[in-house]
Protein backbone atom coordinates (compact mmCIF):
# COMPACT_ATOMS: atom_id res chain seq x y z
CA UNK A 1 0.00 0.00 0.00
CA UNK A 2 1.25 3.45 -0.86
CA UNK A 3 0.96 5.87 2.08
CA UNK A 4 -1.64 8.60 2.41
CA UNK A 5 0.17 11.81 3.32
CA UNK A 6 -1.33 13.48 6.37
CA UNK A 7 -2.70 17.00 6.00
CA UNK A 8 -0.29 18.11 8.66
CA UNK A 9 2.71 16.75 6.80
CA UNK A 10 1.69 18.30 3.49
CA UNK A 11 1.16 21.67 5.18
CA UNK A 12 4.49 21.56 6.99
CA UNK A 13 6.42 20.69 3.85
CA UNK A 14 4.56 23.37 1.93
CA UNK A 15 5.41 26.02 4.54
CA UNK A 16 9.11 25.21 4.12
CA UNK A 17 8.92 25.16 0.34
CA UNK A 18 7.13 28.49 0.36
CA UNK A 19 10.12 30.05 2.15
CA UNK A 20 12.62 28.48 -0.26
CA UNK A 21 10.78 29.87 -3.28
CA UNK A 22 10.07 33.25 -1.64
CA UNK A 23 13.81 33.74 -1.18
CA UNK A 24 14.06 33.64 -4.99
CA UNK A 25 11.18 36.06 -5.42
CA UNK A 26 8.60 33.38 -6.29
CA UNK A 27 5.11 33.46 -4.77
CA UNK A 28 3.96 29.83 -4.38
CA UNK A 29 0.40 30.82 -3.36
CA UNK A 30 0.03 32.81 -6.58
CA UNK A 31 1.42 29.88 -8.59
CA UNK A 32 -1.15 27.52 -7.04
CA UNK A 33 -3.99 29.95 -7.70
CA UNK A 34 -2.92 30.20 -11.35
CA UNK A 35 -2.61 26.44 -11.76
CA UNK A 36 -6.07 25.94 -10.26
CA UNK A 37 -7.70 28.09 -12.92
CA UNK A 38 -5.80 26.49 -15.81
CA UNK A 39 -8.11 23.86 -17.35
CA UNK A 40 -6.77 20.66 -18.84
CA UNK A 41 -8.97 18.88 -21.37
CA UNK A 42 -8.86 15.10 -20.87
CA UNK A 43 -9.32 13.10 -24.05
CA UNK A 44 -12.07 10.50 -23.85
CA UNK A 45 -10.23 8.17 -26.25
CA UNK A 46 -7.63 6.93 -23.74
CA UNK A 47 -10.49 5.09 -22.00
CA UNK A 48 -11.38 2.77 -24.91
CA UNK A 49 -8.34 2.81 -27.23
CA UNK A 50 -9.95 5.26 -29.73
CA UNK A 51 -12.73 2.78 -30.46
CA UNK A 52 -15.88 4.83 -30.01
CA UNK A 53 -19.40 3.42 -29.88
CA UNK A 54 -20.49 3.85 -33.45
CA UNK A 55 -22.67 1.14 -34.99
CA UNK A 56 -20.83 0.08 -38.18
CA UNK A 57 -22.22 -1.75 -41.18
CA UNK A 58 -18.91 -2.18 -43.01
CA UNK A 59 -15.33 -3.01 -42.10
CA UNK A 60 -13.20 0.04 -41.42
CA UNK A 61 -9.48 0.76 -41.33
CA UNK A 62 -7.71 2.77 -38.61
CA UNK A 63 -6.86 5.85 -40.65
CA UNK A 64 -3.47 7.09 -39.55
CA UNK A 65 -3.61 6.18 -35.86
CA UNK A 66 -3.66 2.95 -33.90
CA UNK A 67 -3.74 2.01 -30.23
CA UNK A 68 -1.57 -1.01 -29.49
CA UNK A 69 -1.98 -3.42 -26.56
CA UNK A 70 -4.80 -5.42 -25.02
CA UNK A 71 -4.77 -4.57 -21.34
CA UNK A 72 -8.10 -5.77 -19.91
CA UNK A 73 -10.86 -3.40 -18.88
CA UNK A 74 -11.34 -1.03 -21.82
CA UNK A 75 -14.70 0.79 -21.63
CA UNK A 76 -17.21 -0.87 -23.96
CA UNK A 77 -20.14 1.48 -23.46
CA UNK A 78 -20.56 5.19 -22.95
CA UNK A 79 -21.71 4.57 -19.38
CA UNK A 80 -18.54 2.61 -18.66
CA UNK A 81 -16.42 5.34 -20.20
CA UNK A 82 -18.13 7.97 -18.05
CA UNK A 83 -17.63 5.86 -14.91
CA UNK A 84 -13.95 5.40 -15.77
CA UNK A 85 -13.48 9.09 -16.49
CA UNK A 86 -15.05 9.96 -13.13
CA UNK A 87 -12.60 7.61 -11.45
CA UNK A 88 -9.72 9.36 -13.19
CA UNK A 89 -11.14 12.81 -12.29
CA UNK A 90 -11.21 11.81 -8.62
CA UNK A 91 -7.44 11.23 -8.72
CA UNK A 92 -6.53 14.45 -10.51
CA UNK A 93 -6.45 17.92 -8.92
CA UNK A 94 -7.41 21.20 -10.60
CA UNK A 95 -9.88 22.23 -13.29
CA UNK A 96 -10.70 19.61 -15.90
CA UNK A 97 -12.56 19.49 -19.20
CA UNK A 98 -13.51 16.42 -21.26
CA UNK A 99 -12.77 16.03 -24.95
CA UNK A 100 -15.08 13.90 -27.13
CA UNK A 101 -14.80 12.60 -30.69
CA UNK A 102 -17.82 12.23 -32.98
CA UNK A 103 -17.56 8.41 -32.77
CA UNK A 104 -18.62 8.65 -29.13
CA UNK A 105 -22.17 9.51 -30.17
CA UNK A 106 -24.96 7.55 -28.49
CA UNK A 107 -27.45 6.49 -31.13
CA UNK A 108 -29.46 3.86 -29.26
CA UNK A 109 -28.24 0.98 -31.40
CA UNK A 110 -29.28 2.77 -34.61
CA UNK A 111 -26.94 3.30 -37.55
CA UNK A 112 -26.57 7.08 -37.84
CA UNK A 113 -24.02 8.06 -40.43
CA UNK A 114 -21.56 10.77 -39.54
CA UNK A 115 -23.13 13.45 -41.69
CA UNK A 116 -26.41 12.89 -39.83
CA UNK A 117 -25.10 13.38 -36.30
CA UNK A 118 -26.97 15.87 -34.14
CA UNK A 119 -26.62 17.41 -30.68
CA UNK A 120 -29.21 14.95 -29.37
CA UNK A 121 -26.74 12.12 -29.90
CA UNK A 122 -24.57 13.79 -27.28
CA UNK A 123 -27.34 14.68 -24.84
CA UNK A 124 -26.13 12.15 -22.26
CA UNK A 125 -22.61 13.55 -22.44
CA UNK A 126 -23.88 17.10 -21.99
CA UNK A 127 -26.07 16.14 -19.02
CA UNK A 128 -23.16 14.26 -17.45
CA UNK A 129 -20.76 17.20 -17.92
CA UNK A 130 -23.30 19.55 -16.39
CA UNK A 131 -23.75 17.25 -13.39
CA UNK A 132 -19.97 17.21 -12.83
CA UNK A 133 -19.59 20.94 -13.53
CA UNK A 134 -17.08 20.42 -16.34
CA UNK A 135 -16.95 21.73 -19.92
CA UNK A 136 -16.76 19.59 -23.06
CA UNK A 137 -14.56 19.87 -26.15
CA UNK A 138 -15.19 18.11 -29.44
CA UNK A 139 -13.66 16.60 -32.61
CA UNK A 140 -15.03 15.46 -35.95
CA UNK A 141 -13.84 11.91 -36.72
CA UNK A 142 -12.22 11.49 -40.15
CA UNK A 143 -11.03 7.91 -39.60
CA UNK A 144 -12.49 4.44 -38.96
CA UNK A 145 -15.20 4.82 -41.58
CA UNK A 146 -15.80 3.12 -44.97
CA UNK A 147 -15.48 6.46 -46.76
CA UNK A 148 -12.05 7.00 -45.16
CA UNK A 149 -10.61 3.60 -46.02
CA UNK A 150 -8.57 4.78 -49.01
CA UNK A 151 -6.80 7.44 -46.96
CA UNK A 152 -8.57 10.58 -48.17
CA UNK A 153 -11.59 12.45 -46.75
CA UNK A 154 -11.82 16.25 -46.98
CA UNK A 155 -9.21 16.24 -49.75
CA UNK A 156 -10.75 13.33 -51.66
CA UNK A 157 -10.75 13.51 -55.46
CA UNK A 158 -14.32 12.20 -55.53
CA UNK A 159 -16.67 15.12 -54.95
CA UNK A 160 -19.42 13.06 -53.32
CA UNK A 161 -16.98 11.64 -50.76
CA UNK A 162 -15.50 15.05 -50.08
CA UNK A 163 -18.98 16.54 -49.62
CA UNK A 164 -19.91 13.80 -47.17
CA UNK A 165 -16.98 14.74 -44.98
CA UNK A 166 -17.75 18.45 -45.27
CA UNK A 167 -21.29 17.68 -44.03
CA UNK A 168 -19.82 15.61 -41.20
CA UNK A 169 -17.58 18.44 -40.04
CA UNK A 170 -20.35 21.03 -40.18
CA UNK A 171 -22.59 18.65 -38.20
CA UNK A 172 -19.81 18.44 -35.61
CA UNK A 173 -19.45 22.21 -35.38
CA UNK A 174 -23.21 22.40 -34.72
CA UNK A 175 -22.89 19.78 -31.99
CA UNK A 176 -20.01 21.76 -30.47
CA UNK A 177 -22.09 24.94 -30.63
CA UNK A 178 -24.85 23.13 -28.71
CA UNK A 179 -22.31 21.91 -26.16
CA UNK A 180 -20.96 25.43 -25.83
CA UNK A 181 -24.46 26.81 -25.22
CA UNK A 182 -25.19 24.11 -22.69
CA UNK A 183 -22.01 24.87 -20.74
CA UNK A 184 -22.20 28.64 -21.22
CA UNK A 185 -18.72 28.89 -22.78
CA UNK A 186 -16.90 27.84 -25.92
CA UNK A 187 -16.39 24.22 -26.82
CA UNK A 188 -13.04 23.83 -28.60
CA UNK A 189 -13.32 21.83 -31.82
CA UNK A 190 -10.13 20.33 -33.19
CA UNK A 191 -10.06 19.38 -36.84
CA UNK A 192 -7.51 16.65 -37.52
CA UNK A 193 -7.70 15.31 -41.04
CA UNK A 194 -5.47 12.25 -41.51
CA UNK A 195 -5.50 12.42 -45.34
CA UNK A 196 -2.27 11.37 -46.96
CA UNK A 197 -0.33 8.75 -48.88
CA UNK A 198 1.94 5.89 -47.98
CA UNK A 199 4.32 6.32 -50.87
CA UNK A 200 5.31 9.12 -53.23
CA UNK A 201 2.12 10.64 -54.59
CA UNK A 202 2.98 12.29 -57.88
CA UNK A 203 0.49 15.06 -57.29
CA UNK A 204 1.05 16.70 -53.90
CA UNK A 205 -0.86 19.80 -54.99
CA UNK A 206 -4.42 18.86 -55.83
CA UNK A 207 -5.33 17.30 -52.45
CA UNK A 208 -4.11 20.48 -50.70
CA UNK A 209 -6.25 22.65 -52.96
CA UNK A 210 -9.24 20.42 -52.22
CA UNK A 211 -8.57 20.51 -48.50
CA UNK A 212 -8.61 24.32 -48.57
CA UNK A 213 -11.87 24.21 -50.50
CA UNK A 214 -13.41 21.87 -47.93
CA UNK A 215 -12.16 23.85 -44.94
CA UNK A 216 -13.51 27.07 -46.45
CA UNK A 217 -16.94 25.47 -46.83
CA UNK A 218 -16.80 24.15 -43.27
CA UNK A 219 -15.81 27.46 -41.68
CA UNK A 220 -18.35 29.38 -43.77
CA UNK A 221 -21.19 27.58 -41.96
CA UNK A 222 -23.20 29.88 -39.76
CA UNK A 223 -22.02 28.86 -36.30
CA UNK A 224 -21.68 31.06 -33.25
CA UNK A 225 -17.99 31.58 -32.46
CA UNK A 226 -18.85 32.35 -28.84
CA UNK A 227 -19.73 28.71 -28.38
CA UNK A 228 -17.62 26.90 -30.98
CA UNK A 229 -13.90 27.66 -31.22
CA UNK A 230 -12.01 25.89 -34.01
CA UNK A 231 -8.47 24.61 -34.36
CA UNK A 232 -6.64 22.81 -37.19
CA UNK A 233 -4.01 20.16 -36.40
CA UNK A 234 -1.06 19.33 -38.59
CA UNK A 235 0.92 16.11 -38.74
CA UNK A 236 4.17 15.11 -40.38
CA UNK A 237 3.29 11.48 -41.02
CA UNK A 238 1.01 8.72 -39.80
CA UNK A 239 0.51 5.00 -40.17
CA UNK A 240 -0.16 4.49 -43.87
CA UNK A 241 0.63 8.13 -44.65
CA UNK A 242 4.37 7.95 -44.14
CA UNK A 243 5.31 9.88 -47.26
CA UNK A 244 2.69 12.59 -47.43
CA UNK A 245 0.13 14.21 -45.15
CA UNK A 246 -2.05 16.79 -46.88
CA UNK A 247 -2.46 18.86 -43.71
CA UNK A 248 1.21 19.49 -42.99
CA UNK A 249 2.58 22.11 -40.60
CA UNK A 250 3.23 24.65 -43.33
CA UNK A 251 -0.23 24.04 -44.77
CA UNK A 252 -2.04 24.81 -41.54
CA UNK A 253 0.27 27.64 -40.48
CA UNK A 254 -0.62 29.38 -43.71
CA UNK A 255 -4.29 28.47 -43.35
CA UNK A 256 -4.48 29.77 -39.78
CA UNK A 257 -2.71 32.99 -40.74
CA UNK A 258 -5.30 33.75 -43.37
CA UNK A 259 -8.45 32.28 -41.80
CA UNK A 260 -10.32 32.06 -38.49
CA UNK A 261 -9.22 28.83 -36.79
CA UNK A 262 -6.28 28.61 -34.46
CA UNK A 263 -3.37 26.21 -34.84
CA UNK A 264 -3.22 22.99 -32.85
CA UNK A 265 0.31 21.87 -32.06
CA UNK A 266 0.55 18.19 -31.15
CA UNK A 267 3.87 17.39 -29.49
CA UNK A 268 4.15 14.12 -31.41
CA UNK A 269 3.49 15.47 -34.90
CA UNK A 270 6.87 16.74 -35.98
CA UNK A 271 10.22 15.27 -36.97
CA UNK A 272 11.26 12.74 -34.30
CA UNK A 273 13.79 15.09 -32.73
CA UNK A 274 11.77 18.28 -33.26
CA UNK A 275 10.08 19.79 -30.21
CA UNK A 276 7.32 22.38 -30.11
CA UNK A 277 8.45 24.73 -27.32
CA UNK A 278 10.28 27.04 -29.69
CA UNK A 279 7.17 27.35 -31.87
CA UNK A 280 5.04 28.93 -29.12
CA UNK A 281 6.52 32.44 -29.20
CA UNK A 282 6.45 32.45 -33.00
CA UNK A 283 2.82 31.38 -33.31
CA UNK A 284 1.53 33.64 -30.54
CA UNK A 285 3.39 36.64 -31.91
CA UNK A 286 0.97 36.47 -34.83
CA UNK A 287 -2.05 34.63 -33.42
CA UNK A 288 -4.32 35.32 -30.43
CA UNK A 289 -4.83 31.76 -29.34
CA UNK A 290 -3.40 28.27 -29.60
CA UNK A 291 -4.48 24.68 -28.94
CA UNK A 292 -1.98 22.17 -27.58
CA UNK A 293 -2.16 18.43 -27.87
CA UNK A 294 0.06 17.43 -25.00
CA UNK A 295 1.55 14.10 -25.97
CA UNK A 296 4.85 12.19 -26.16
CA UNK A 297 6.26 10.98 -29.42
CA UNK A 298 8.54 7.95 -29.49
CA UNK A 299 10.07 7.08 -32.85
CA UNK A 300 7.09 6.46 -35.15
CA UNK A 301 4.41 6.81 -32.47
CA UNK A 302 3.06 10.22 -31.59
CA UNK A 303 0.88 9.26 -28.66
CA UNK A 304 2.71 7.78 -25.66
CA UNK A 305 1.50 8.70 -22.17
CA UNK A 306 2.83 12.09 -21.09
CA UNK A 307 5.50 12.13 -18.39
CA UNK A 308 7.30 15.06 -16.79
CA UNK A 309 10.22 15.19 -19.20
CA UNK A 310 12.23 18.08 -20.60
CA UNK A 311 9.81 18.52 -23.52
CA UNK A 312 6.95 19.19 -21.11
CA UNK A 313 9.05 21.45 -18.90
CA UNK A 314 10.38 23.50 -21.82
CA UNK A 315 6.91 23.79 -23.36
CA UNK A 316 5.30 25.27 -20.27
CA UNK A 317 8.30 27.45 -19.53
CA UNK A 318 7.73 29.12 -22.87
CA UNK A 319 4.03 29.56 -22.24
CA UNK A 320 4.41 30.88 -18.70
CA UNK A 321 7.40 33.11 -19.51
CA UNK A 322 5.37 34.63 -22.31
CA UNK A 323 2.40 35.11 -19.97
CA UNK A 324 0.40 33.05 -22.46
CA UNK A 325 -1.43 30.53 -20.27
CA UNK A 326 -4.73 32.32 -20.78
CA UNK A 327 -4.48 32.14 -24.57
CA UNK A 328 -3.35 28.52 -24.66
CA UNK A 329 -6.00 25.79 -24.73
CA UNK A 330 -4.42 22.73 -23.15
CA UNK A 331 -5.71 19.34 -24.29
CA UNK A 332 -4.17 15.91 -23.85
CA UNK A 333 -3.72 13.43 -26.68
CA UNK A 334 -2.22 10.03 -25.97
CA UNK A 335 -3.50 6.48 -25.86
CA UNK A 336 -1.86 3.34 -24.58
CA UNK A 337 -3.90 0.14 -24.66
CA UNK A 338 -1.15 -1.90 -23.00
CA UNK A 339 -1.46 -0.45 -19.48
CA UNK A 340 -4.16 0.37 -16.92
CA UNK A 341 -6.15 3.08 -18.70
CA UNK A 342 -7.10 5.03 -15.59
CA UNK A 343 -3.40 5.03 -14.76
CA UNK A 344 -2.56 6.37 -18.23
CA UNK A 345 -5.03 9.25 -17.87
CA UNK A 346 -3.91 10.16 -14.37
CA UNK A 347 -0.17 9.88 -15.01
CA UNK A 348 -0.44 12.03 -18.13
CA UNK A 349 -2.66 14.69 -16.61
CA UNK A 350 -0.73 15.01 -13.37
CA UNK A 351 2.55 15.19 -15.32
CA UNK A 352 1.14 17.99 -17.46
CA UNK A 353 0.00 19.91 -14.38
CA UNK A 354 3.39 19.40 -12.72
CA UNK A 355 5.02 20.82 -15.84
CA UNK A 356 2.83 23.91 -15.63
CA UNK A 357 3.52 24.26 -11.91
CA UNK A 358 7.28 23.92 -12.42
CA UNK A 359 7.12 26.77 -14.93
CA UNK A 360 5.00 28.90 -12.60
CA UNK A 361 7.58 28.41 -9.84
CA UNK A 362 10.50 29.60 -11.94
CA UNK A 363 12.34 32.73 -10.71
CA UNK A 364 11.92 34.27 -14.15
CA UNK A 365 12.65 37.86 -13.11
CA UNK A 366 16.05 36.87 -11.69
CA UNK A 367 16.85 34.77 -14.76
CA UNK A 368 16.03 37.65 -17.09
CA UNK A 369 18.17 39.94 -14.99
CA UNK A 370 21.16 37.62 -15.45
CA UNK A 371 20.42 37.33 -19.14
CA UNK A 372 20.15 41.06 -19.68
CA UNK A 373 23.37 41.63 -17.77
CA UNK A 374 25.13 39.13 -20.02
CA UNK A 375 25.74 36.84 -17.04
CA UNK A 376 25.47 33.49 -18.75
CA UNK A 377 26.97 31.44 -15.92
CA UNK A 378 24.60 33.00 -13.37
CA UNK A 379 21.64 32.14 -15.58
CA UNK A 380 22.77 28.58 -16.15
CA UNK A 381 23.56 28.06 -12.47
CA UNK A 382 20.13 29.28 -11.37
CA UNK A 383 18.35 27.18 -14.01
CA UNK A 384 20.22 24.13 -12.72
CA UNK A 385 19.49 24.86 -9.05
CA UNK A 386 15.81 25.29 -9.92
CA UNK A 387 15.63 21.67 -11.02
CA UNK A 388 16.03 20.43 -7.43
CA UNK A 389 13.85 23.00 -5.64
CA UNK A 390 10.94 21.46 -3.65
CA UNK A 391 8.39 21.32 -6.49
CA UNK A 392 6.90 18.13 -4.97
CA UNK A 393 5.94 19.86 -1.72
CA UNK A 394 4.04 22.56 -3.62
CA UNK A 395 2.43 19.94 -5.86
CA UNK A 396 1.22 17.94 -2.84
CA UNK A 397 -0.35 21.12 -1.46
CA UNK A 398 -2.17 21.58 -4.77
CA UNK A 399 -3.56 18.05 -4.51
CA UNK A 400 -4.58 18.48 -0.88
CA UNK A 401 -6.29 21.76 -1.65
CA UNK A 402 -8.19 20.20 -4.59
CA UNK A 403 -9.31 17.17 -2.62
CA UNK A 404 -7.22 14.84 -4.83
CA UNK A 405 -4.73 12.37 -3.34
CA UNK A 406 -1.27 13.85 -2.68
CA UNK A 407 1.89 11.87 -3.33
CA UNK A 408 1.74 8.22 -4.32
CA UNK A 409 -1.54 7.31 -2.58
CA UNK A 410 -3.56 7.46 -5.81
CA UNK A 411 -1.66 4.46 -7.16
CA UNK A 412 -3.62 2.24 -4.72
CA UNK A 413 -6.91 3.43 -6.23
CA UNK A 414 -5.62 2.91 -9.75
CA UNK A 415 -4.54 -0.66 -9.02
CA UNK A 416 -7.81 -1.45 -7.20
CA UNK A 417 -9.78 -0.27 -10.19
CA UNK A 418 -8.48 -3.25 -12.16
CA UNK A 419 -10.86 -5.38 -10.12
CA UNK A 420 -13.82 -3.15 -11.00
CA UNK A 421 -13.19 -3.40 -14.76
CA UNK A 422 -11.85 -7.00 -14.86
CA UNK A 423 -15.23 -8.55 -15.75
CA UNK A 424 -15.80 -6.45 -18.88
C1 LIG B 1 -3.65 11.91 -34.42
C2 LIG B 1 -3.99 13.25 -33.88
C3 LIG B 1 -5.38 13.42 -33.36
C4 LIG B 1 -5.92 12.18 -32.71
C5 LIG B 1 -7.24 12.38 -32.02
C6 LIG B 1 -7.90 11.08 -31.70
O1 LIG B 1 -2.32 11.77 -34.71
O2 LIG B 1 -3.07 13.60 -32.90
O3 LIG B 1 -5.45 14.52 -32.55
O4 LIG B 1 -5.03 11.63 -31.79
O5 LIG B 1 -8.02 13.22 -32.75
ZN1 LIG C 1 -3.37 15.23 -31.63
Amino acid sequence: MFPTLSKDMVERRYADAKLVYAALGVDTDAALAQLKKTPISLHCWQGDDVGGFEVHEDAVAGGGIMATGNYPGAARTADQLRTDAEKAFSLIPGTLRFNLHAIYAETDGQVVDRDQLEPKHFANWMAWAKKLGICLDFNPTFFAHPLANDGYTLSHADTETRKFWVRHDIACRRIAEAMGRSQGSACVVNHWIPDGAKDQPVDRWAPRKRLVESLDEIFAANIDGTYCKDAVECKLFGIGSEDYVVGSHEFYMCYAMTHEPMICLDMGHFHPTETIHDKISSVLTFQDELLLHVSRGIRWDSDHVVILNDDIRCLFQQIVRGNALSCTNIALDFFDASINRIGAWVVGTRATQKGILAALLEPTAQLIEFENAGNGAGKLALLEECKTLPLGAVWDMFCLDSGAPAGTAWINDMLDYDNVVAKR
Side-chain angles (χ1 to χ4, degrees), residues 42 83-92 96 341-342 345-346:
L42 263 79
T83 308
D84 292 357
E86 283 183 47
K87 182 71 201 176
F89 293 166
S90 74
L91 305 176
I92 302 168
L96 304 177
R341 293 171 185 78
I342 305 298
W345 258 326
V346 180

Side-chain angles (χ1 to χ4, degrees), residues 190 233 266 269 293 303 333:
N190 181 53
E233 179 183 16
D266 184 309
H269 283 196
H293 268 190
D303 299 290
D333 184 13

Side-chain angles (χ1 to χ4, degrees), residues 45 65 139 190 192 233-235 264-269 292-295 302-303 331-335:
W45 51 92
I65 52 171
N139 303 255
N190 181 53
W192 174 61
E233 179 183 16
C234 74
K235 192 168 181 173
C264 169
L265 294 177
D266 184 309
M267 296 176 73
H269 283 196
L292 292 180
H293 268 190
V294 181
S295 189
S302 65
D303 299 290
L332 307 178
D333 184 13
F334 49 80
F335 34 94

Side-chain angles (χ1 to χ4, degrees), residues 88-217:
F89 293 166
S90 74
L91 305 176
I92 302 168
T95 306
L96 304 177
R97 303 171 65 93
F98 202 60
N99 197 2
L100 291 169
H101 243 277
I103 47 173
Y104 292 80
E106 289 173 87
T107 59
D108 239 345
Q110 305 297 312
V111 177
V112 177
D113 213 348
R114 294 207 192 148
D115 60 341
Q116 303 299 316
L117 287 172
E118 292 177 51
K120 70 175 183 203
H121 300 122
F122 293 87
N124 291 344
W125 286 111
M126 287 189 246
W128 174 72
K130 196 158 257 180
K131 184 187 83 190
L132 297 183
I134 60 166
C135 291
L136 295 172
D137 295 317
F138 200 58
N139 303 255
T141 311
F142 293 101
F143 51 85
H145 187 278
L147 288 181
N149 276 351
D150 61 4
Y152 289 89
T153 61
L154 285 181
S155 69
H156 209 287
D158 174 63
T159 309
E160 283 317 304
T161 307
R162 194 178 70 73
K163 292 275 179 196
F164 169 85
W165 289 111
V166 169
R167 288 196 301 277
H168 169 57
D169 199 321
I170 293 174
C172 286
R173 295 185 70 225
R174 290 202 197 296
I175 292 163
E177 184 186 42
M179 287 175 173
R181 269 188 222 287
S182 153
Q183 63 206 22
S185 69
C187 166
V188 176
V189 182
N190 181 53
H191 305 257
W192 174 61
I193 294 102
D195 296 23
K198 187 184 176 83
D199 208 5
Q200 301 187 45
V202 173
D203 186 358
R204 304 175 88 96
W205 294 67
R208 292 201 161 119
K209 289 188 176 143
R210 289 192 292 264
L211 182 53
V212 171
E213 219 176 293
S214 298
L215 292 172
D216 285 352
E217 285 170 41

Side-chain angles (χ1 to χ4, degrees), residues 64-65 192 233-239 245 249 264-277 279 291-306 309 311-312 315 331-335:
I65 52 171
W192 174 61
E233 179 183 16
C234 74
K235 192 168 181 173
L236 179 64
F237 69 91
I239 301 168
V245 170
H249 184 50
C264 169
L265 294 177
D266 184 309
M267 296 176 73
H269 283 196
F270 295 86
H271 286 273
T273 57
E274 184 178 359
T275 52
I276 67 163
H277 67 273
K279 303 180 192 302
L291 172 63
L292 292 180
H293 268 190
V294 181
S295 189
R296 177 166 55 108
I298 293 201
R299 307 193 191 282
W300 59 267
D301 177 53
S302 65
D303 299 290
H304 273 58
V305 176
V306 169
N309 57 13
D311 290 352
I312 293 291
L315 171 63
L332 307 178
D333 184 13
F334 49 80
F335 34 94

